[in-house]
Amino acid sequence: MSSQSADGAPITGRLAPSPTGLLHLGHVRTFVLAWCSARSRAGRLLLRFDDLDAQRSKPEFADAALEDLAWLGLDWDEPITWQSSQQDRYAVALQQLTDMGLCYPCVCSRLDVQDAVAAPHQGQEGLEPHYPGTCRGLFASLEEARRKTGKAASLRYRVPEGFVEFDDRVWGPQRIDVAQSVGDFVVARRDGTAAYQLAVVVDDAAAGVTEVVRGADLLESTARQWLLQRSLGLAHPNWAHLPLLLDDQGRRLAKRSDSLSIRALRQAGCDPQRVVAWIARSVGLGVGDKCWPRELLSGFDLAKIAAEPERNTAPKMTALLG
């Protein structure tokens, strides 16, 4: 397969763990497949820690992630980067959006937004509520918002009407109306730090990332990031959103699932090659009981994987542990 993306740029993928807890099977499933996607086309792979959550990010979780990734046979190119060290770059992007009139101060808390709508977006627990535009046009600046309300303000991106359309390598063509789904979204928090949606856009562009491989739970986030990329004049990477790994109750795995953490599997004596083979089989790739990621590279293509969630049941865990 070609070592270049469709626009002729070298293939550059990335792994972007958040050091806010131990990595679990769902995380490394995504990382293994992202690694295979880039390496199968002789591409670069970068490692970035998304550590903007200063309260929850811990050095010990970053260290554990590095150990887990190496245990699974994954590697990366160039020095590791940290979002917490990129604030100057984010500030430039925020100023660009402000100068273009594309973001505005908002003093609404998350609770204010939830109270303002009848129910969370799409009525599903854990999804972001739709912002009704309460502060749109109210304040000319962050300083004015604080002076008039006594509250520190965040900055929200002014979402245009209409659909965002892009192709996903797993799910195919997507058509998402951000204005209807979540409305204007936060790009800078009340303390002035960049929010997730803006930070990843700026980081990916600065690093020359050409493909983003991540979980299907972030599919709607992609539409928001597409809008920010267009507004900032940045290239759109190729996207691939992987089917989620669910627990035996059908819920998405969370970092609180310590029994499914990679550290727990390591401590239980699990063979890393069994984990990699299980990951491959979970998306429909035909492999034996054991393999390393490099053994999956020949003919690897994310477009061929099964686009269905994988339920992690007790029998499967028993088989995984050998």
Side-chain angles (χ1 to χ4, degrees), residues 149-187:
T149 67
K151 300 177 181 178
S154 61
L155 283 174
R156 284 187 184 270
Y157 176 78
R158 194 184 299 270
V159 174
E161 302 256 340
F163 290 92
V164 171
E165 298 183 6
F166 60 92
D167 285 325
D168 186 84
R169 289 176 64 194
V170 177
W171 301 95
Q174 300 295 306
R175 194 166 186 260
I176 299 173
D177 189 337
V178 180
Q180 289 297 314
S181 60
V182 294
D184 298 342
F185 55 88
V186 173
V187 289

mmCIF file of all heavy atoms in Angstrom, residues 149-187:
data_model
loop_
_atom_site.group_PDB
_atom_site.id
_atom_site.type_symbol
_atom_site.label_atom_id
_atom_site.label_comp_id
_atom_site.label_asym_id
_atom_site.label_seq_id
_atom_site.Cartn_x
_atom_site.Cartn_y
_atom_site.Cartn_z
ATOM 1 N N THR A 149 -21.410 40.192 34.933
ATOM 2 C CA THR A 149 -21.986 39.032 35.628
ATOM 3 C C THR A 149 -21.225 38.642 36.884
ATOM 4 O O THR A 149 -21.750 37.885 37.706
ATOM 5 C CB THR A 149 -22.023 37.809 34.699
ATOM 6 O OG1 THR A 149 -20.686 37.380 34.412
ATOM 7 C CG2 THR A 149 -22.756 38.133 33.400
ATOM 8 N N GLY A 150 -20.000 39.124 37.015
ATOM 9 C CA GLY A 150 -19.172 38.684 38.132
ATOM 10 C C GLY A 150 -18.637 37.268 37.954
ATOM 11 O O GLY A 150 -18.087 36.694 38.893
ATOM 12 N N LYS A 151 -18.777 36.714 36.772
ATOM 13 C CA LYS A 151 -18.336 35.340 36.500
ATOM 14 C C LYS A 151 -17.244 35.329 35.434
ATOM 15 O O LYS A 151 -17.273 36.136 34.494
ATOM 16 C CB LYS A 151 -19.497 34.474 35.991
ATOM 17 C CG LYS A 151 -20.672 34.351 36.950
ATOM 18 C CD LYS A 151 -21.781 33.526 36.286
ATOM 19 C CE LYS A 151 -22.994 33.390 37.181
ATOM 20 N NZ LYS A 151 -24.081 32.626 36.494
ATOM 21 N N ALA A 152 -16.312 34.396 35.574
ATOM 22 C CA ALA A 152 -15.352 34.166 34.499
ATOM 23 C C ALA A 152 -16.086 33.489 33.346
ATOM 24 O O ALA A 152 -16.984 32.665 33.557
ATOM 25 C CB ALA A 152 -14.208 33.290 34.992
ATOM 26 N N ALA A 153 -15.709 33.842 32.128
ATOM 27 C CA ALA A 153 -16.402 33.312 30.949
ATOM 28 C C ALA A 153 -15.511 32.345 30.170
ATOM 29 O O ALA A 153 -14.292 32.488 30.127
ATOM 30 C CB ALA A 153 -16.839 34.449 30.034
ATOM 31 N N SER A 154 -16.145 31.359 29.575
ATOM 32 C CA SER A 154 -15.483 30.503 28.603
ATOM 33 C C SER A 154 -15.653 31.143 27.226
ATOM 34 O O SER A 154 -16.314 32.180 27.086
ATOM 35 C CB SER A 154 -16.090 29.104 28.616
ATOM 36 O OG SER A 154 -17.465 29.168 28.280
ATOM 37 N N LEU A 155 -15.069 30.536 26.208
ATOM 38 C CA LEU A 155 -15.290 30.976 24.839
ATOM 39 C C LEU A 155 -15.977 29.847 24.079
ATOM 40 O O LEU A 155 -15.538 28.700 24.140
ATOM 41 C CB LEU A 155 -13.971 31.323 24.148
ATOM 42 C CG LEU A 155 -13.322 32.664 24.516
ATOM 43 C CD1 LEU A 155 -11.955 32.780 23.844
ATOM 44 C CD2 LEU A 155 -14.207 33.832 24.108
ATOM 45 N N ARG A 156 -17.032 30.180 23.367
ATOM 46 C CA ARG A 156 -17.744 29.200 22.545
ATOM 47 C C ARG A 156 -17.574 29.521 21.067
ATOM 48 O O ARG A 156 -17.590 30.684 20.661
ATOM 49 C CB ARG A 156 -19.251 29.188 22.874
ATOM 50 C CG ARG A 156 -19.583 28.484 24.163
ATOM 51 C CD ARG A 156 -21.079 28.334 24.374
ATOM 52 N NE ARG A 156 -21.349 27.725 25.665
ATOM 53 C CZ ARG A 156 -21.464 26.427 25.881
ATOM 54 N NH1 ARG A 156 -21.367 25.593 24.855
ATOM 55 N NH2 ARG A 156 -21.693 25.962 27.087
ATOM 56 N N TYR A 157 -17.426 28.467 20.287
ATOM 57 C CA TYR A 157 -17.341 28.599 18.829
ATOM 58 C C TYR A 157 -18.745 28.780 18.264
ATOM 59 O O TYR A 157 -19.676 28.044 18.628
ATOM 60 C CB TYR A 157 -16.685 27.353 18.241
ATOM 61 C CG TYR A 157 -16.620 27.327 16.742
ATOM 62 C CD1 TYR A 157 -15.658 28.057 16.054
ATOM 63 C CD2 TYR A 157 -17.515 26.555 16.008
ATOM 64 C CE1 TYR A 157 -15.591 28.014 14.672
ATOM 65 C CE2 TYR A 157 -17.455 26.511 14.626
ATOM 66 C CZ TYR A 157 -16.497 27.250 13.966
ATOM 67 O OH TYR A 157 -16.440 27.208 12.596
ATOM 68 N N ARG A 158 -18.880 29.731 17.379
ATOM 69 C CA ARG A 158 -20.177 30.048 16.775
ATOM 70 C C ARG A 158 -20.428 29.082 15.609
ATOM 71 O O ARG A 158 -19.876 29.248 14.519
ATOM 72 C CB ARG A 158 -20.167 31.492 16.288
ATOM 73 C CG ARG A 158 -21.507 32.086 15.947
ATOM 74 C CD ARG A 158 -21.330 33.481 15.383
ATOM 75 N NE ARG A 158 -20.701 34.381 16.329
ATOM 76 C CZ ARG A 158 -21.364 35.141 17.208
ATOM 77 N NH1 ARG A 158 -22.688 35.099 17.218
ATOM 78 N NH2 ARG A 158 -20.726 35.943 18.031
ATOM 79 N N VAL A 159 -21.229 28.061 15.857
ATOM 80 C CA VAL A 159 -21.439 27.006 14.866
ATOM 81 C C VAL A 159 -22.354 27.496 13.744
ATOM 82 O O VAL A 159 -23.448 28.004 14.004
ATOM 83 C CB VAL A 159 -22.052 25.754 15.529
ATOM 84 C CG1 VAL A 159 -22.413 24.704 14.482
ATOM 85 C CG2 VAL A 159 -21.082 25.175 16.553
ATOM 86 N N PRO A 160 -21.932 27.328 12.484
ATOM 87 C CA PRO A 160 -22.792 27.733 11.372
ATOM 88 C C PRO A 160 -23.910 26.714 11.140
ATOM 89 O O PRO A 160 -23.821 25.566 11.551
ATOM 90 C CB PRO A 160 -21.824 27.756 10.185
ATOM 91 C CG PRO A 160 -20.797 26.733 10.526
ATOM 92 C CD PRO A 160 -20.630 26.801 12.023
ATOM 93 N N GLU A 161 -24.932 27.144 10.457
ATOM 94 C CA GLU A 161 -26.022 26.244 10.080
ATOM 95 C C GLU A 161 -25.560 25.310 8.963
ATOM 96 O O GLU A 161 -24.668 25.639 8.179
ATOM 97 C CB GLU A 161 -27.217 27.069 9.592
ATOM 98 C CG GLU A 161 -27.714 28.057 10.609
ATOM 99 C CD GLU A 161 -28.991 27.615 11.283
ATOM 100 O OE1 GLU A 161 -29.679 26.755 10.723
ATOM 101 O OE2 GLU A 161 -29.270 28.121 12.366
ATOM 102 N N GLY A 162 -26.168 24.153 8.887
ATOM 103 C CA GLY A 162 -25.864 23.234 7.800
ATOM 104 C C GLY A 162 -25.114 22.001 8.257
ATOM 105 O O GLY A 162 -24.776 21.851 9.432
ATOM 106 N N PHE A 163 -24.866 21.109 7.318
ATOM 107 C CA PHE A 163 -24.261 19.816 7.604
ATOM 108 C C PHE A 163 -22.750 19.829 7.362
ATOM 109 O O PHE A 163 -22.254 20.505 6.467
ATOM 110 C CB PHE A 163 -24.887 18.718 6.735
ATOM 111 C CG PHE A 163 -26.297 18.381 7.104
ATOM 112 C CD1 PHE A 163 -27.361 19.033 6.487
ATOM 113 C CD2 PHE A 163 -26.568 17.419 8.068
ATOM 114 C CE1 PHE A 163 -28.676 18.716 6.824
ATOM 115 C CE2 PHE A 163 -27.871 17.098 8.411
ATOM 116 C CZ PHE A 163 -28.927 17.755 7.788
ATOM 117 N N VAL A 164 -22.065 19.067 8.184
ATOM 118 C CA VAL A 164 -20.663 18.745 7.946
ATOM 119 C C VAL A 164 -20.619 17.359 7.306
ATOM 120 O O VAL A 164 -21.228 16.417 7.825
ATOM 121 C CB VAL A 164 -19.852 18.748 9.260
ATOM 122 C CG1 VAL A 164 -18.449 18.189 9.026
ATOM 123 C CG2 VAL A 164 -19.795 20.138 9.858
ATOM 124 N N GLU A 165 -19.924 17.219 6.202
ATOM 125 C CA GLU A 165 -19.859 15.946 5.504
ATOM 126 C C GLU A 165 -18.402 15.500 5.376
ATOM 127 O O GLU A 165 -17.537 16.291 4.992
ATOM 128 C CB GLU A 165 -20.496 16.068 4.111
ATOM 129 C CG GLU A 165 -21.979 16.429 4.165
ATOM 130 C CD GLU A 165 -22.623 16.482 2.792
ATOM 131 O OE1 GLU A 165 -21.943 16.123 1.806
ATOM 132 O OE2 GLU A 165 -23.803 16.869 2.700
ATOM 133 N N PHE A 166 -18.149 14.267 5.721
ATOM 134 C CA PHE A 166 -16.815 13.697 5.579
ATOM 135 C C PHE A 166 -16.941 12.188 5.448
ATOM 136 O O PHE A 166 -17.973 11.602 5.785
ATOM 137 C CB PHE A 166 -15.920 14.066 6.781
ATOM 138 C CG PHE A 166 -16.436 13.575 8.114
ATOM 139 C CD1 PHE A 166 -16.037 12.348 8.625
ATOM 140 C CD2 PHE A 166 -17.317 14.351 8.863
ATOM 141 C CE1 PHE A 166 -16.517 11.891 9.856
ATOM 142 C CE2 PHE A 166 -17.800 13.906 10.086
ATOM 143 C CZ PHE A 166 -17.399 12.672 10.587
ATOM 144 N N ASP A 167 -15.886 11.560 4.954
ATOM 145 C CA ASP A 167 -15.868 10.105 4.813
ATOM 146 C C ASP A 167 -15.091 9.490 5.962
ATOM 147 O O ASP A 167 -14.019 9.974 6.327
ATOM 148 C CB ASP A 167 -15.207 9.696 3.486
ATOM 149 C CG ASP A 167 -16.119 9.946 2.301
ATOM 150 O OD1 ASP A 167 -17.342 9.785 2.455
ATOM 151 O OD2 ASP A 167 -15.611 10.310 1.229
ATOM 152 N N ASP A 168 -15.633 8.437 6.533
ATOM 153 C CA ASP A 168 -14.960 7.696 7.587
ATOM 154 C C ASP A 168 -14.553 6.339 7.024
ATOM 155 O O ASP A 168 -15.353 5.677 6.343
ATOM 156 C CB ASP A 168 -15.889 7.515 8.784
ATOM 157 C CG ASP A 168 -15.191 6.884 9.963
ATOM 158 O OD1 ASP A 168 -14.543 7.607 10.724
ATOM 159 O OD2 ASP A 168 -15.277 5.642 10.110
ATOM 160 N N ARG A 169 -13.329 5.909 7.307
ATOM 161 C CA ARG A 169 -12.808 4.673 6.707
ATOM 162 C C ARG A 169 -13.514 3.430 7.223
ATOM 163 O O ARG A 169 -13.436 2.367 6.603
ATOM 164 C CB ARG A 169 -11.298 4.565 6.946
ATOM 165 C CG ARG A 169 -10.501 5.564 6.124
ATOM 166 C CD ARG A 169 -9.026 5.487 6.460
ATOM 167 N NE ARG A 169 -8.453 4.193 6.116
ATOM 168 C CZ ARG A 169 -7.277 3.788 6.555
ATOM 169 N NH1 ARG A 169 -6.569 4.549 7.371
ATOM 170 N NH2 ARG A 169 -6.799 2.610 6.192
ATOM 171 N N VAL A 170 -14.198 3.537 8.352
ATOM 172 C CA VAL A 170 -14.926 2.395 8.906
ATOM 173 C C VAL A 170 -16.419 2.508 8.621
ATOM 174 O O VAL A 170 -17.059 1.550 8.183
ATOM 175 C CB VAL A 170 -14.676 2.269 10.425
ATOM 176 C CG1 VAL A 170 -15.498 1.126 11.019
ATOM 177 C CG2 VAL A 170 -13.185 2.054 10.716
ATOM 178 N N TRP A 171 -16.988 3.692 8.837
ATOM 179 C CA TRP A 171 -18.436 3.869 8.775
ATOM 180 C C TRP A 171 -18.929 4.468 7.465
ATOM 181 O O TRP A 171 -20.132 4.582 7.250
ATOM 182 C CB TRP A 171 -18.901 4.749 9.935
ATOM 183 C CG TRP A 171 -18.549 4.168 11.272
ATOM 184 C CD1 TRP A 171 -17.451 4.461 12.019
ATOM 185 C CD2 TRP A 171 -19.266 3.173 12.003
ATOM 186 N NE1 TRP A 171 -17.439 3.721 13.173
ATOM 187 C CE2 TRP A 171 -18.547 2.918 13.195
ATOM 188 C CE3 TRP A 171 -20.447 2.467 11.767
ATOM 189 C CZ2 TRP A 171 -18.962 1.989 14.140
ATOM 190 C CZ3 TRP A 171 -20.863 1.548 12.720
ATOM 191 C CH2 TRP A 171 -20.127 1.320 13.888
ATOM 192 N N GLY A 172 -18.000 4.896 6.607
ATOM 193 C CA GLY A 172 -18.406 5.454 5.327
ATOM 194 C C GLY A 172 -18.806 6.923 5.420
ATOM 195 O O GLY A 172 -18.447 7.627 6.363
ATOM 196 N N PRO A 173 -19.575 7.426 4.449
ATOM 197 C CA PRO A 173 -19.937 8.846 4.413
ATOM 198 C C PRO A 173 -20.744 9.265 5.646
ATOM 199 O O PRO A 173 -21.666 8.562 6.062
ATOM 200 C CB PRO A 173 -20.782 8.965 3.135
ATOM 201 C CG PRO A 173 -20.382 7.793 2.299
ATOM 202 C CD PRO A 173 -20.077 6.692 3.265
ATOM 203 N N GLN A 174 -20.376 10.412 6.196
ATOM 204 C CA GLN A 174 -21.058 10.959 7.368
ATOM 205 C C GLN A 174 -21.638 12.330 7.031
ATOM 206 O O GLN A 174 -21.053 13.096 6.262
ATOM 207 C CB GLN A 174 -20.087 11.099 8.540
ATOM 208 C CG GLN A 174 -19.464 9.786 8.983
ATOM 209 C CD GLN A 174 -20.483 8.832 9.537
ATOM 210 O OE1 GLN A 174 -21.247 9.173 10.455
ATOM 211 N NE2 GLN A 174 -20.523 7.623 8.987
ATOM 212 N N ARG A 175 -22.790 12.636 7.656
ATOM 213 C CA ARG A 175 -23.446 13.926 7.448
ATOM 214 C C ARG A 175 -24.024 14.356 8.795
ATOM 215 O O ARG A 175 -25.018 13.790 9.258
ATOM 216 C CB ARG A 175 -24.543 13.775 6.386
ATOM 217 C CG ARG A 175 -25.075 15.077 5.820
ATOM 218 C CD ARG A 175 -25.893 14.788 4.560
ATOM 219 N NE ARG A 175 -26.314 16.003 3.909
ATOM 220 C CZ ARG A 175 -27.529 16.536 4.013
ATOM 221 N NH1 ARG A 175 -28.457 15.912 4.771
ATOM 222 N NH2 ARG A 175 -27.840 17.643 3.395
ATOM 223 N N ILE A 176 -23.372 15.319 9.429
ATOM 224 C CA ILE A 176 -23.705 15.679 10.805
ATOM 225 C C ILE A 176 -24.031 17.172 10.900
ATOM 226 O O ILE A 176 -23.278 18.010 10.397
ATOM 227 C CB ILE A 176 -22.539 15.345 11.766
ATOM 228 C CG1 ILE A 176 -22.266 13.837 11.738
ATOM 229 C CG2 ILE A 176 -22.832 15.821 13.190
ATOM 230 C CD1 ILE A 176 -21.035 13.415 12.513
ATOM 231 N N ASP A 177 -25.138 17.487 11.532
ATOM 232 C CA ASP A 177 -25.565 18.870 11.743
ATOM 233 C C ASP A 177 -25.166 19.271 13.163
ATOM 234 O O ASP A 177 -25.873 18.977 14.126
ATOM 235 C CB ASP A 177 -27.078 18.983 11.550
ATOM 236 C CG ASP A 177 -27.563 20.436 11.550
ATOM 237 O OD1 ASP A 177 -26.864 21.291 12.113
ATOM 238 O OD2 ASP A 177 -28.648 20.688 10.986
ATOM 239 N N VAL A 178 -24.025 19.932 13.303
ATOM 240 C CA VAL A 178 -23.514 20.297 14.629
ATOM 241 C C VAL A 178 -24.423 21.312 15.304
ATOM 242 O O VAL A 178 -24.647 21.262 16.520
ATOM 243 C CB VAL A 178 -22.072 20.839 14.528
ATOM 244 C CG1 VAL A 178 -21.534 21.210 15.906
ATOM 245 C CG2 VAL A 178 -21.169 19.810 13.864
ATOM 246 N N ALA A 179 -24.981 22.241 14.521
ATOM 247 C CA ALA A 179 -25.870 23.249 15.103
ATOM 248 C C ALA A 179 -27.076 22.605 15.773
ATOM 249 O O ALA A 179 -27.535 23.054 16.830
ATOM 250 C CB ALA A 179 -26.323 24.235 14.025
ATOM 251 N N GLN A 180 -27.574 21.526 15.194
ATOM 252 C CA GLN A 180 -28.735 20.843 15.761
ATOM 253 C C GLN A 180 -28.361 19.856 16.857
ATOM 254 O O GLN A 180 -29.139 19.629 17.783
ATOM 255 C CB GLN A 180 -29.491 20.111 14.654
ATOM 256 C CG GLN A 180 -30.219 21.030 13.688
ATOM 257 C CD GLN A 180 -31.302 21.850 14.375
ATOM 258 O OE1 GLN A 180 -32.096 21.327 15.153
ATOM 259 N NE2 GLN A 180 -31.322 23.142 14.092
ATOM 260 N N SER A 181 -27.174 19.255 16.765
ATOM 261 C CA SER A 181 -26.821 18.217 17.727
ATOM 262 C C SER A 181 -26.317 18.790 19.050
ATOM 263 O O SER A 181 -26.835 18.446 20.113
ATOM 264 C CB SER A 181 -25.780 17.264 17.130
ATOM 265 O OG SER A 181 -24.598 17.965 16.786
ATOM 266 N N VAL A 182 -25.318 19.669 19.009
ATOM 267 C CA VAL A 182 -24.789 20.231 20.267
ATOM 268 C C VAL A 182 -24.803 21.749 20.284
ATOM 269 O O VAL A 182 -24.688 22.352 21.350
ATOM 270 C CB VAL A 182 -23.351 19.737 20.550
ATOM 271 C CG1 VAL A 182 -23.332 18.253 20.813
ATOM 272 C CG2 VAL A 182 -22.397 20.121 19.439
ATOM 273 N N GLY A 183 -24.925 22.385 19.131
ATOM 274 C CA GLY A 183 -24.913 23.837 19.096
ATOM 275 C C GLY A 183 -23.512 24.394 19.289
ATOM 276 O O GLY A 183 -22.509 23.705 19.094
ATOM 277 N N ASP A 184 -23.426 25.659 19.664
ATOM 278 C CA ASP A 184 -22.134 26.307 19.881
ATOM 279 C C ASP A 184 -21.390 25.582 20.998
ATOM 280 O O ASP A 184 -21.955 25.309 22.055
ATOM 281 C CB ASP A 184 -22.335 27.768 20.263
ATOM 282 C CG ASP A 184 -23.038 28.579 19.173
ATOM 283 O OD1 ASP A 184 -23.053 28.117 18.015
ATOM 284 O OD2 ASP A 184 -23.571 29.648 19.496
ATOM 285 N N PHE A 185 -20.114 25.271 20.779
ATOM 286 C CA PHE A 185 -19.372 24.466 21.750
ATOM 287 C C PHE A 185 -18.157 25.225 22.284
ATOM 288 O O PHE A 185 -17.652 26.165 21.654
ATOM 289 C CB PHE A 185 -18.951 23.123 21.139
ATOM 290 C CG PHE A 185 -18.160 23.232 19.866
ATOM 291 C CD1 PHE A 185 -16.771 23.354 19.889
ATOM 292 C CD2 PHE A 185 -18.793 23.198 18.631
ATOM 293 C CE1 PHE A 185 -16.036 23.441 18.724
ATOM 294 C CE2 PHE A 185 -18.056 23.287 17.444
ATOM 295 C CZ PHE A 185 -16.680 23.420 17.495
ATOM 296 N N VAL A 186 -17.685 24.802 23.432
ATOM 297 C CA VAL A 186 -16.610 25.489 24.140
ATOM 298 C C VAL A 186 -15.266 25.197 23.473
ATOM 299 O O VAL A 186 -14.937 24.044 23.187
ATOM 300 C CB VAL A 186 -16.566 25.054 25.623
ATOM 301 C CG1 VAL A 186 -15.343 25.634 26.333
ATOM 302 C CG2 VAL A 186 -17.843 25.490 26.338
ATOM 303 N N VAL A 187 -14.489 26.270 23.243
ATOM 304 C CA VAL A 187 -13.125 26.114 22.720
ATOM 305 C C VAL A 187 -12.078 26.599 23.721
ATOM 306 O O VAL A 187 -10.888 26.315 23.564
ATOM 307 C CB VAL A 187 -12.946 26.843 21.373
ATOM 308 C CG1 VAL A 187 -13.702 26.121 20.269
ATOM 309 C CG2 VAL A 187 -13.384 28.304 21.454
#
